Amino acid sequence: MQTTQSYIQGQWKQGKGEGKPIFDSITGEHFTNINVDGFDVPEVLAYGREKGDTLRKMTFQERGNMLKALAFHLQKKKRAFYDLSYRTGATKMDSWFDIDGGFGNLFANASLRKLFPNQPFDVEGDPIDLSHGGRFMAHHILVPKEGVAIHINAFNFPVWGMLEKCAVNWMAGVPAVVLPAPQSAYLTEAVVKEIIASGILPEGGLQLISGTAKNILDSTESQDIVTFTGSAKTGRLLKNHPRLLEESVPFTMEADSLNASVLGEDAVPGTPEFDLFIREVRNEMTVKCGQKCTAIRRILVPEHLMEDVQIALGKALDKVTLGDPRLKEVRMGSLIDKNQVEAVKKSILELSKTAELVYGDFDKAKTIGADYAKGAFMKPILLRENHPFENEAAHITEAFGPVSTLMPYKTLEDAIKLSKKGKGSLVSSIFTNSDIIARDYTIQAASHHGRILSINRESAKQSTGHGAPLPNLVHGGPGRAGGGEEMGGKRGIKHFMQRCAIQGSPTTLSEITGIYQPKADYKDAEKHPFAYHWEDIQPGMSLKTHNRTLTDTDIINFGNLTWDHFYAHTDITSLEGSIFEQRTAHGYLIISAAAGLFVYPNKGPVAANYGLEEIRFLRPLYHNDTIHVRLTCKEKVDRDQKGKELPSGIVKWYVEVFDTEAVEEEDKLVAIATILTMVQKKQTTFHEVDRSFIQEKLSELDESATAQWGLMRPQHMVEHLEMSLRIATGEISNFEINTPEEHIEQVQETLYNYEKMPKGYKMPLMKKDELELLKYEGLSEAKMSLLEAYDNFVVFFREHPKAITKNPVFGELTSFDWKLLNRKHFNHHFQQFGLI
C-alpha cells in the first residue's frame, strides 16, 4: 500500500507504522496512507530557520523571478496533478480553481517584485524629518523575519491553499513548513515533489509534513509566523496555544464563514441581474461540491421575490449532474470523504430545526459513471428560513458542502443587518443595477466582510465571481472569519516581514536604505551619470550643472509653444493680490530647462526617458533669475528584458533646481522632481565580435580540437559560421523560414537578451544526426574563407544599411539583428571548442 510522504530536512520521509487510511472520494478505494508519527518537529522548524538564510539574502527581483520560473515549471506538469485531483472528488473546473489558481498566485506575486527595491529588504513610505533643516531624520524598513512560515491548511484546496500562502512568504524571503489536511495531502505531495525536483527553490525554502502534527506549535519561536485555514472552532483553539502567546507568534486565521449574497430590490425576474444571481448561487453551491470557505451560505432576497428565486434556483439545480468528475457531462463531484458527508448532514439537521428543506434530500441520487454508495456523494440542498431575525441557526451553523439557506428581507437596511448576523465573513456580494443600492450596501456592510463584490450586467462578463479570492486583494475577514488578511498584494508580503523604524542623518540612512535621502551628502561622479551603465550607477551619485538664466523671452516663447497663457506668465498687470511679484516662469519651463542642463547629449547607456514620478514647485522663479541643477541617483529598480530591447534597468533620479543667486538658505531650492530613465545593463556574457576577435580565435583552433558537445569537428564549425555570414548577406537564400510566423517575433526577441544559445540545437539547414560534407581541402582554407565572408558581411551592411535578409530560424533580420546573432553564434561555437 502506497504511503504519502513528507519532505523534511532535505529528505523524503514517511512516519512510523501503517498510518491513517485515505480513500478515493469517488470510488471509495483505499489507495494511500497518511502517517507523520516519529518526526522530530522541533528539528524540522530549526532546519527551515537555518536554511532560510539563502532566501533572506535574495533580492526581491531574484525571489520574484524564482516564483515565475516555478510557475512555468509546474504548468508543464499540471496534467498529472489534474489526474490526481479527481480522487478528491473535484471536477475539471474545480481542479482548475485549485491547480491553475495556485499557479496563478505564483505568477501574480512574482510580478510584485517590480514594486520593491532591488535589494533583500523593503523601504516603506516617505522619509520623515525629525529636525528643523532635515539633518536628523527617520524612515521605515521591512526585513524578512528569521523564522519559518507554518501553514496549517484545509482539505478543500490542497494546491491553491499551499501556493497562495507560500508565494507570499517566499516573496518576503521566509521559508515555509506546510501541513496539508490528511484527506488530500497526496495531491499537495505531488506538487511539492515537482517543486523540489525542479531545483528552483533553495533547499529549506519548503518543507512538507503530510498530515496533522499535533505538536507543531510547541516549538514555535517569536520570529515564526503561523497561518491556519479551517473551522473557526479549531482555529480558536490553535490561536490560544500557550507557546504562541508566550512567544508572541503572529497567527493568521481564515475560518469558515456564513457568507451572504444579496439580490437587490431592483433585480426582479427578467433582468440580467436576477439571472446572474441565480447562476452565481448555483455555482457557489456546487463548485468543489460546496466545500469552499467563500461559498454562498445565506441567500438574502426581497420577500416578494422569495418564490421566484426558490423556483428559479430549483430549476438551475435540476441541471446539476453528479458522478465521476472525469466525465465532461458531470457538473458536481463529491465531498472529500464519507466523514464529511456525515458532518454536513448533521449541520443540515441543525439548520432544519427552524428552516424548511425546499430542495434536495438525503436519499440516493442518480450518478453518472460512479457508484453512489461507494463515493462521498450528496445532492445539493436548499433550505428556506422564513424568520431570519428570530431564528439564529442559519447565521451560526455552516454546512460545509452543497448547502445554502434562502431568507427574506423587507428593506435594504434589513439585508445589511442580516448580513452582519453572520458575525464576520470572508465575502459578501450584491446583485443590482442600481449604483445607489450598491453604494449603500457596501458602505454600511463593509465592517463585517473581508470583501464585497457588486455585480451587474456591465461587470458580469469580466467578473471573477463571488467565491474567487484574488492574490492582489486582501483575502480574509473579521470576526468568525478569523480576523486574518492573507495575500493582498504588497501588504500580504509585509505580513511576513519585520517593520523597523530607523533614525539618523540623511547620509547614514541613505547608506542603510540604498535609497538617496534628501540633504544627504552627494557622491560626485567622475563623469556624467548618464554615461554609466545600470550596474555602475549607485544611489547618491551626483552631478552639479552649469547655470542658466531664464529670460523674459524664454517665458513668452514657452507660453506660445505650449499655449499655456496663464496670467502670471503673460499679463504682469494682473499680479496684484496674487502670490506673484513679477513675470513668472512656467513650472514646466523650469523642469524643461533643468533637463536641458543635466541631459547628456551623446549616445550612451541611457536608452530612454521612462517617466516622471513626482514634481513639486516650492516657490516662483521670475524672469532673469538664474538656476542650476543637482541630478542625483535616488534609487535603482531592476527590470525584466522585454521585446526587442537590450536588457536594462530603471534609475530614479532626484532633481533639485536651485536659485543660484538666492541669499537665504531656505530660498535656494525652488523645485524638486523624480525622473526615471531606462538604462542599459552591461553585456558581460559574450565577447564582442569583430574581425580581430575572429582572427585571434581561429589562430588558436587546430585539427586536434574536440567539441565539448555535438558532432562537429573544427572545420565543420568554421564552415558552418561562414555559411551563416553568407546567409546574412543574401548570398545563400534558397531556403524557407522554418519558424512558424506566429512565433517569429518571440524568437527574434531572444537575440536581444544576454542568454547563451542552447547547446545541441540543430539549425534547420543542417543534417540531423550526421556531419555535413566539407567544402574546403583543409582547415586553413576554411579559416580564410570565413574571414573573407566576414569582410563581405561588413561591407554589405555598410553599403546597404537598411537591408533586411532572412535567416531560417529567426526570419527577416536587420543589420543590427544580424550583429546580435553573430555575437551569440560565434561565442557559442568558439565556446563549443574551448576557445573561450
Side-chain angles (χ1 to χ4, degrees):
M1 174 61 64
Q2 171 190 343
T3 298
T4 298
Q5 294 183 309
S6 297
Y7 185 75
I8 55 176
Q9 296 170 280
Q11 296 179 10
W12 285 100
K13 297 181 180 180
Q14 60 188 53
K16 298 176 181 178
E18 292 185 8
K20 176 183 176 180
I22 301 297
F23 302 93
D24 187 301
S25 305
I26 301 298
T27 66
E29 172 198 357
H30 173 202
F31 72 98
T32 189
N33 290 325
I34 285 287
N35 192 355
V36 298
D37 294 340
F39 291 167
D40 190 337
V41 173
E43 286 300 313
V44 171
L45 301 186
Y47 182 83
R49 296 183 196 113
E50 178 189 352
K51 292 293 185 179
D53 195 50
T54 305
L55 262 176
R56 289 191 290 271
K57 288 179 178 177
M58 294 171 67
T59 67
F60 280 103
Q61 277 63 42
E62 288 170 334
R63 295 175 201 148
N65 285 319
M66 175 187 73
L67 262 62
K68 185 178 178 182
L70 189 57
F72 277 122
H73 175 81
L74 292 175
Q75 272 196 329
K76 296 174 185 176
K77 309 289 184 178
K78 69 179 180 181
R79 181 169 180 176
F81 306 146
Y82 271 80
D83 291 341
L84 207 52
S85 181
Y86 292 129
R87 286 189 179 273
T88 70
T91 64
K92 186 175 182 180
M93 181 57 71
D94 297 339
S95 299
W96 181 84
F97 277 108
D98 185 28
I99 296 168
D100 285 82
F103 302 163
N105 267 274
L106 292 176
F107 279 121
N109 279 280
S111 68
L112 294 178
R113 67 192 184 279
K114 302 168 187 175
L115 304 180
F116 289 93
N118 190 42
Q119 49 198 15
F121 60 91
D122 187 28
V123 181
E124 185 179 56
D126 296 322
I128 302 163
D129 185 3
L130 299 177
S131 64
H132 182 68
R135 292 301 171 185
F136 181 60
M137 60 172 294
H139 219 146
H140 290 86
I141 61 172
L142 292 105
V143 297
K145 292 201 171 187
E146 295 189 2
V148 291
I150 301 167
H151 300 309
I152 305 170
N153 293 337
F155 64 78
N156 52 337
F157 286 98
V159 180
W160 183 86
M162 171 178 65
L163 294 181
E164 59 110 355
K165 297 180 178 74
C166 285
V168 180
N169 65 249
W170 288 333
M171 272 301 292
V174 176
V177 178
V178 175
L179 285 77
Q183 301 97 312
S184 55
Y186 53 88
L187 179 51
T188 310
E189 175 208 31
V191 177
V192 172
K193 281 191 171 179
E194 279 300 337
I195 292 174
I196 300 303
S198 74
I200 294 170
L201 202 66
E203 176 52 44
L206 174 61
Q207 295 183 87
L208 173 72
I209 299 178
S210 295
T212 304
K214 294 183 179 179
N215 61 341
I216 187 69
L217 301 183
D218 294 350
S219 53
T220 52
E221 297 181 356
S222 60
Q223 288 287 307
D224 298 331
I225 310 99
V226 178
T227 73
F228 168 78
T229 302
S231 73
K233 181 179 178 181
T234 304
R236 283 191 292 269
L237 288 172
L238 295 177
K239 191 174 186 178
N240 289 288
H241 191 284
R243 182 71 176 181
L244 299 187
L245 299 176
E246 181 184 343
E247 291 282 317
S248 298
V249 178
F251 183 93
T252 299
M253 180 167 71
E254 180 205 320
D256 48 20
S257 57
L258 282 304
N259 308 298
S261 187
V262 180
L263 182 67
E265 296 171 276
D266 62 309
V268 297
T271 63
E273 287 70 30
F274 183 90
D275 296 337
L276 290 166
F277 180 74
I278 298 299
R279 186 177 69 190
E280 192 73 3
V281 172
R282 180 200 62 195
N283 288 345
E284 289 299 312
M285 288 179 66
T286 58
V287 169
K288 292 289 288 187
C289 204
Q291 298 169 117
K292 288 172 60 186
C293 55
T294 54
I296 295 170
R297 303 299 179 197
R298 297 178 296 151
I299 311 165
L300 279 52
V301 175
E303 60 180 3
H304 66 283
L305 297 178
M306 284 285 284
E307 293 300 322
D308 294 299
V309 171
Q310 182 177 320
I311 292 169
L313 262 179
K315 290 179 178 178
L317 292 170
D318 283 340
K319 298 176 182 178
V320 176
T321 50
L322 279 67
D324 186 341
R326 297 170 181 81
L327 303 175
K328 62 180 181 181
E329 60 266 36
V330 170
R331 289 289 302 274
M332 188 172 82
S334 69
L335 296 171
I336 191 68
D337 58 25
K338 294 209 171 198
N339 290 334
Q340 186 64 21
V341 172
E342 293 307 312
V344 174
K345 285 182 179 179
K346 183 178 179 181
S347 296
I348 293 170
L349 292 174
E350 186 66 28
L351 290 167
S352 62
K353 288 179 180 178
T354 59
E356 178 187 1
L357 199 156
V358 294
Y359 185 91
D361 53 48
F362 296 155
D363 295 338
K364 181 178 180 179
K366 178 184 176 182
T367 51
I368 302 172
D371 187 333
Y372 184 90
K374 291 181 179 179
F377 294 102
M378 173 176 277
K379 297 177 186 176
I381 300 288
L382 180 65
L383 297 108
R384 175 169 174 161
E385 175 54 79
N386 289 319
H387 304 288
F389 282 102
E390 290 79 23
N391 299 321
E392 295 291 322
H395 304 300
I396 61 175
T397 302
E398 181 180 31
F400 202 67
V403 184
S404 196
T405 302
L406 192 62
M407 55 187 72
Y409 72 85
K410 293 181 184 293
T411 65
L412 184 63
E413 288 70 27
D414 283 345
I416 293 166
K417 290 177 182 177
L418 287 174
S419 80
K420 293 178 178 179
K421 284 179 74 66
K423 297 183 179 180
S425 78
L426 294 170
V427 57
S428 182
S429 56
I430 182 164
F431 290 72
T432 176
N433 200 39
S434 166
D435 293 332
I436 304 302
I437 292 175
R439 179 200 65 192
D440 291 347
Y441 178 79
T442 300
I443 299 302
Q444 295 179 55
S447 60
H448 284 59
H449 307 288
R451 174 168 58 92
I452 294 179
L453 171 67
S454 297
I455 301 185
N456 60 18
R457 64 198 70 182
E458 179 184 357
S459 65
K461 287 184 179 179
Q462 295 180 316
S463 169
T464 50
H466 169 100
L470 297 174
N472 47 348
L473 301 179
V474 169
H475 179 50
R480 177 188 172 118
E485 293 187 344
E486 297 175 22
M487 303 189 297
K490 193 173 182 180
R491 63 179 291 166
I493 295 170
K494 291 180 179 181
H495 177 68
F496 294 91
M497 307 185 80
Q498 177 60 48
R499 181 178 287 102
C500 180
I502 58 174
Q503 298 168 277
S505 72
T507 303
T508 300
L509 294 198
S510 293
E511 195 65 31
I512 293 172
T513 62
I515 298 174
Y516 176 79
Q517 309 290 340
K519 298 193 177 181
D521 291 346
Y522 303 116
K523 300 175 183 177
D524 289 326
E526 294 182 5
K527 55 184 178 180
H528 196 290
F530 283 11
Y532 291 94
H533 284 88
W534 187 80
E535 292 86 349
D536 295 330
I537 297 172
Q538 298 302 324
M541 181 181 282
S542 183
L543 168 76
K544 181 181 178 181
T545 71
H546 299 296
N547 297 341
R548 174 177 173 175
T549 300
L550 302 175
T551 67
D552 203 57
T553 302
D554 289 336
I555 298 171
I556 293 170
N557 287 343
F558 192 84
N560 290 334
L561 179 66
T562 61
W563 292 10
D564 179 352
H565 299 301
F566 184 63
Y567 77 93
H569 314 310
T570 58
D571 184 6
I572 58 175
T573 64
S574 300
L575 300 181
E576 185 178 358
S578 73
I579 64 171
F580 307 107
E581 299 172 2
Q582 303 175 50
R583 188 186 303 282
T584 307
H586 304 69
Y588 295 112
L589 168 58
I590 296 170
I591 293 301
S592 299
L597 287 170
F598 68 67
V599 163
Y600 185 60
N602 299 346
K603 184 177 181 180
V606 173
N609 181 339
Y610 201 68
L612 185 66
E613 212 168 54
E614 61 180 349
I615 184 170
R616 187 170 176 194
F617 304 109
L618 305 178
R619 71 168 181 83
L621 276 176
Y622 302 120
H623 65 95
N624 294 328
D625 281 346
T626 300
I627 63 171
H628 69 272
V629 178
R630 264 284 179 184
L631 177 75
T632 307
C633 172
K634 180 178 180 180
E635 184 181 358
K636 293 165 60 180
V637 180
D638 207 351
R639 177 177 181 270
D640 292 342
Q641 192 263 338
K642 299 179 181 178
K644 291 186 177 182
E645 295 175 3
L646 295 172
S648 62
I650 302 302
V651 178
K652 297 183 179 182
W653 300 95
Y654 187 57
V655 177
E656 299 168 283
V657 183
F658 294 95
D659 182 343
T660 303
E661 298 170 345
V663 177
E664 300 296 330
E665 186 67 29
E666 60 267 24
D667 291 337
K668 291 182 179 179
L669 186 63
V670 296
I672 56 174
T674 299
I675 67 161
L676 286 68
T677 58
M678 187 189 303
V679 182
Q680 288 178 7
K681 296 180 179 179
K682 278 183 178 178
Q683 191 288 109
T684 57
T685 306
F686 308 109
H687 292 268
E688 295 299 337
V689 174
D690 56 19
R691 194 181 201 282
S692 62
F693 170 73
I694 298 172
Q695 194 166 9
E696 177 191 343
K697 295 306 168 186
L698 290 180
S699 68
E700 300 170 10
L701 181 68
D702 58 41
E703 291 284 6
S704 64
T706 57
Q708 297 177 12
W709 68 84
L711 299 175
M712 282 187 181
R713 294 172 188 159
Q715 187 171 336
H716 291 93
M717 182 268 286
V718 173
E719 291 190 10
H720 171 70
L721 290 175
E722 180 203 344
M723 180 179 71
S724 71
L725 292 171
R726 298 196 185 282
I727 289 173
T729 58
E731 186 178 337
I732 299 174
S733 59
N734 58 336
F735 58 84
E736 298 296 325
I737 296 172
N738 190 258
T739 304
E741 187 176 350
E742 61 269 24
H743 298 308
I744 279 288
E745 186 171 357
Q746 186 177 0
V747 170
Q748 288 180 350
E749 289 170 1
T750 65
L751 295 175
Y752 287 75
N753 63 38
Y754 296 158
E755 296 172 14
K756 294 180 179 180
M757 284 184 161
K759 297 176 182 179
Y761 175 78
K762 289 289 185 182
M763 192 180 88
L765 302 186
M766 297 173 64
K767 295 177 181 178
K768 189 173 182 182
D769 294 314
E770 57 181 301
L771 291 169
E772 304 290 320
L773 295 175
L774 294 174
K775 288 170 56 179
Y776 302 108
E777 289 290 331
L779 180 58
S780 296
E781 186 180 352
K783 290 179 180 181
M784 291 177 59
S785 188
L786 172 58
L787 290 170
E788 179 190 343
Y790 182 79
D791 292 338
N792 292 341
F793 168 84
V794 173
V795 170
F796 175 81
F797 281 108
R798 184 191 303 141
E799 294 177 353
H800 307 89
K802 295 185 178 180
I804 296 176
T805 55
K806 66 178 181 178
N807 177 280
V809 175
F810 296 94
E812 295 184 337
L813 302 180
T814 65
S815 169
F816 186 67
D817 295 333
W818 277 110
K819 289 176 183 177
L820 295 178
L821 176 55
N822 283 345
R823 184 169 69 185
K824 286 196 171 196
H825 198 203
F826 275 78
N827 275 262
H828 173 79
H829 286 296
F830 286 169
Q831 184 183 7
Q832 182 185 15
F833 282 86
L835 301 176
I836 54 176

